Amino acid sequence: MDLIVSTDVLADFCERAAKFDFVTVDTEFLRETTYWPKLCLIQVATDDEAVLIDPLAPDFDLSPFYDLLANPDVTKVFHAARQDVEIFVKATGQVPANIFDTQVAASVCGFGDSVSYDNLVRSITSVELDKSSRFTDWSARPLSEKQRLYAIADVTHLRDIYRELRKQVAATRRGDWVEDEMGVLRSIDTYVVQPEQAWVRLKMKINRPRDLAALKKLAAWREQRAQDTDQPRSRVLKDDVLFELAMQRPLTPDAFERLRMVPRGFGRSSAAGDIMALLKQVEDIPKSELPSMPERYRGPSPKGAVGDLVRVLLKAVAEQNGVAARIIATSDEIDALVLDDEADVPALKGWRRKLFGEKALAIKHGRIGLVATRKGIVEIEVKEPKQSAAAE
């Protein structure tokens, strides 16, 4: 369990690691007070060694490790890869080549949705991990022996998990399922947040075009400011403050003081000055150039009986195929397909459409029904009622 703190030693290890088919990778980082995660430790294991890499060591160049990440001939195995990969995208500008996420593979193999690493270790290797060091300060030096043991276990057991899951994926012929999920993780767009698109993640509803125009500008401003100052979005402005500003659009410092969600005195700050300038731009947008609001849907409610039936179908399909329901379709995707037969959602594409999407549309249009039996939920064909002679 070596702790690597010099570039030469790291280069030697990475040269050895590049000779293997795969390496397992994990990180420890801090993010509570920053926008960007602060990388504190990197753990890597090959078939015959496991190391800890200290990115906080002075005069330490991580380029040999980043070269290993970029090597397409070596599979980089992560568990719940997204945050780890985000760190490396920020450092290198690219997604590590040839990544494999055991959490994704586990959900396809019937271990449940978003299964934790320690549960997988327990299920596959029968080892009980000590997770008491999970929330320690990983930026403090020196690392304790307990921290080192905890960290290295996150990549040593991952080797056995990876091998077992690859066997199960091959046995069930679900390699294309896993590859579809990996496609999202391998796209750099998954990790790069464009300020202009920051408004999309906000959940509260806006009903007027000018309010929406204001929300888009405010969300972009907050995202850019959070990135530039390296602080969490909520420390710049909370979501509910953004919505109040978008709907009330204060244009003077005194107007800020009359808002419920805005902190007292905020209207005199430099941030308020930026916001007032943005909101003035919004007020000057001609009505014809305001963003259009989505048309109000007037069909069956996705939260009503049709949506309920589709959700029952999803649960039945997931149980029948031994796969986590969320891998097949999310609740939002079910809402979307109830609203639109051509919804641009994964549930209506590829293997998911064959497994679930076609049946979901058939239920929506009354072509099949669901029946509860001792063996579970089964689908039955619904026949059109015959018209009477009088009706004809």
Side-chain angles (χ1 to χ4, degrees):
M1 191 176 56
D2 295 328
L3 180 64
I4 297 178
V5 295
S6 74
T7 304
D8 289 343
V9 176
L10 177 63
D12 289 342
F13 166 76
C14 291
E15 184 178 353
R16 297 193 299 274
K19 298 175 183 177
F20 291 87
D21 292 333
F22 74 90
V23 295
T24 55
V25 184
D26 191 35
T27 66
E28 305 299 338
F29 57 88
L30 299 178
R31 198 174 195 168
E32 288 80 7
T33 61
T34 60
Y35 181 94
W36 307 106
K38 178 183 178 181
L39 181 60
C40 299
L41 191 68
I42 304 169
Q43 305 98 279
V44 188
T46 67
D47 259 342
D48 60 5
E49 64 181 313
V51 301
L52 304 176
I53 302 168
D54 186 359
L56 303 182
D59 303 319
F60 191 11
D61 183 1
L62 293 176
S63 296
F65 174 68
Y66 294 145
D67 289 343
L68 177 64
L69 291 181
N71 186 338
D73 297 326
V74 181
T75 300
K76 271 64 68 175
V77 181
F78 297 85
H79 182 82
R82 188 166 300 215
Q83 292 194 79
D84 300 313
V85 173
E86 181 188 5
I87 292 171
F88 300 135
V89 169
K90 178 67 169 58
T92 68
Q94 61 185 6
V95 178
N98 195 5
I99 62 175
F100 185 96
D101 190 331
T102 56
Q103 187 176 72
V104 170
S107 64
V108 165
C109 293
F111 285 90
D113 180 33
S114 301
V115 61
S116 67
Y117 177 68
D118 48 320
N119 283 338
L120 265 187
V121 171
R122 185 183 306 113
S123 297
I124 292 177
T125 70
S126 300
V127 172
E128 193 73 36
L129 293 179
D130 177 6
K131 305 298 286 186
S132 61
S133 296
R134 177 181 300 177
F135 299 113
T136 55
D137 183 359
W138 290 99
S139 66
R141 294 295 184 270
L143 295 171
S144 69
E145 185 67 13
K146 190 173 183 180
Q147 283 180 306
R148 292 190 185 202
L149 289 171
Y150 165 89
I152 209 70
D154 279 348
V155 288
T156 52
H157 299 296
L158 193 54
R159 297 177 294 201
D160 295 327
I161 290 171
Y162 171 68
R163 293 189 186 96
E164 177 59 27
L165 290 177
R166 287 302 294 259
K167 289 179 184 177
Q168 292 191 27
V169 169
T172 55
R173 298 181 180 180
R174 292 177 178 175
D176 56 336
W177 297 20
V178 175
E179 283 302 306
D180 278 357
E181 295 302 302
M182 296 302 170
V184 175
L185 292 174
R186 291 167 182 162
S187 171
I188 197 166
D189 292 337
T190 301
Y191 311 98
V192 178
V193 179
Q194 300 295 341
E196 296 76 17
Q197 296 300 314
W199 69 276
V200 176
R201 60 172 290 277
L202 300 171
K203 299 300 182 183
M204 296 174 70
K205 292 183 178 179
I206 289 287
N207 297 315
R208 296 178 297 183
R210 203 169 297 276
D211 294 350
L212 179 58
L215 183 65
K216 287 184 174 183
K217 282 188 174 292
L218 290 168
W221 171 84
R222 181 180 70 167
E223 195 74 23
Q224 191 65 63
R225 190 177 181 94
Q227 292 181 3
D228 291 345
T229 60
D230 194 19
Q231 59 181 320
R233 298 180 188 95
S234 61
R235 290 202 176 186
V236 178
L237 281 180
K238 296 184 183 298
D239 287 357
D240 53 4
V241 176
L242 278 190
F243 278 91
E244 187 174 29
L245 291 173
M247 290 185 285
Q248 300 300 325
R249 297 193 291 283
L251 296 178
T252 67
D254 288 340
F256 279 86
E257 297 301 313
R258 294 191 289 271
L259 300 181
R260 181 180 178 185
M261 299 294 181
V262 177
R264 291 288 169 256
F266 181 80
R268 308 290 175 183
S269 67
S270 62
D274 293 343
I275 290 171
M276 285 186 283
L278 289 174
L279 295 178
K280 180 63 168 63
Q281 294 174 17
V282 172
E283 295 299 336
D284 292 340
I285 298 174
K287 188 175 180 179
S288 60
E289 296 178 15
L290 291 171
S292 58
M293 304 298 293
E295 292 186 12
R296 182 175 295 180
Y297 175 75
R298 301 187 183 279
S301 168
K303 302 301 183 185
V306 174
D308 289 344
L309 280 174
V310 175
R311 286 174 170 82
V312 172
L313 171 69
L314 174 61
K315 185 174 182 180
V317 168
E319 290 178 351
Q320 291 163 9
N321 290 275
V323 61
R326 195 175 183 281
I327 286 291
I328 302 173
T330 65
S331 182
D332 287 346
E333 288 171 21
I334 290 176
D335 290 351
L337 69 84
V338 171
L339 297 176
D340 181 5
D341 286 5
E342 304 298 328
D344 184 19
V345 293
L348 291 179
K349 299 175 183 177
W351 65 268
R352 292 176 178 83
R353 186 180 184 105
K354 295 178 182 178
L355 192 71
F356 166 75
E358 292 289 355
K359 294 177 181 179
L361 294 176
I363 283 181
K364 173 183 172 181
H365 293 289
R367 296 193 297 271
I368 65 172
L370 300 176
V371 175
T373 71
R374 291 182 178 181
K375 294 182 179 180
I377 301 296
V378 297
E379 304 112 35
I380 59 170
E381 182 180 357
V382 176
K383 296 182 179 179
E384 291 286 340
K386 293 182 178 181
Q387 290 183 320
S388 65
E392 293 174 353

